[in-house]
Amino acid sequence: MRRGDVMWNINEWRQAWQIVLPRIKGAPTVVSKNFAFRYGVDTLDRAFVKGDAFEFQLGLVTIFDCCSEAVREGRCSQWWE
């Protein structure tokens, strides 16, 4: 799969943001200060502006990994549902 191969409609973009925003907004400092987490947020913004759903998915995965790792390692409690 190449960049540009994944095309989303407005509802898919809305759903993607609804999934990731609780993790971003509620992220404890230990997570929000993590370089990879900040990079993931920047990736989401950049991808959304470009309409690049593939790159957006990469940002999602990065953020999800950072959040899950922090919880798994006991650095914080799960804050998203």
Side-chain angles (χ1 to χ4, degrees):
M1 182 173 297
R2 298 178 319 252
R3 289 177 188 254
D5 286 351
V6 181
M7 302 297 292
W8 285 351
N9 63 39
I10 187 67
N11 292 326
E12 291 166 318
W13 281 108
R14 186 177 292 123
Q15 183 180 18
W17 278 114
Q18 288 174 346
I19 291 168
V20 75
L21 280 177
R23 293 187 193 221
I24 294 171
K25 289 182 177 181
T29 304
V30 69
V31 176
S32 65
K33 298 293 183 184
N34 179 298
F35 174 80
F37 183 85
R38 291 191 321 260
Y39 181 79
V41 172
D42 289 343
T43 300
L44 294 179
D45 289 340
R46 186 174 50 252
F48 182 70
V49 168
K50 294 189 311 187
D52 188 337
F54 179 77
E55 186 175 351
F56 194 91
Q57 291 172 350
L58 295 177
L60 284 173
V61 169
T62 301
I63 290 170
F64 290 175
D65 285 350
C66 290
C67 297
S68 296
E69 181 180 307
V71 171
R72 186 176 54 253
E73 292 176 351
R75 293 184 281 145
C76 61
S77 299
Q78 182 175 329
W79 63 95
W80 69 92
E81 292 192 34

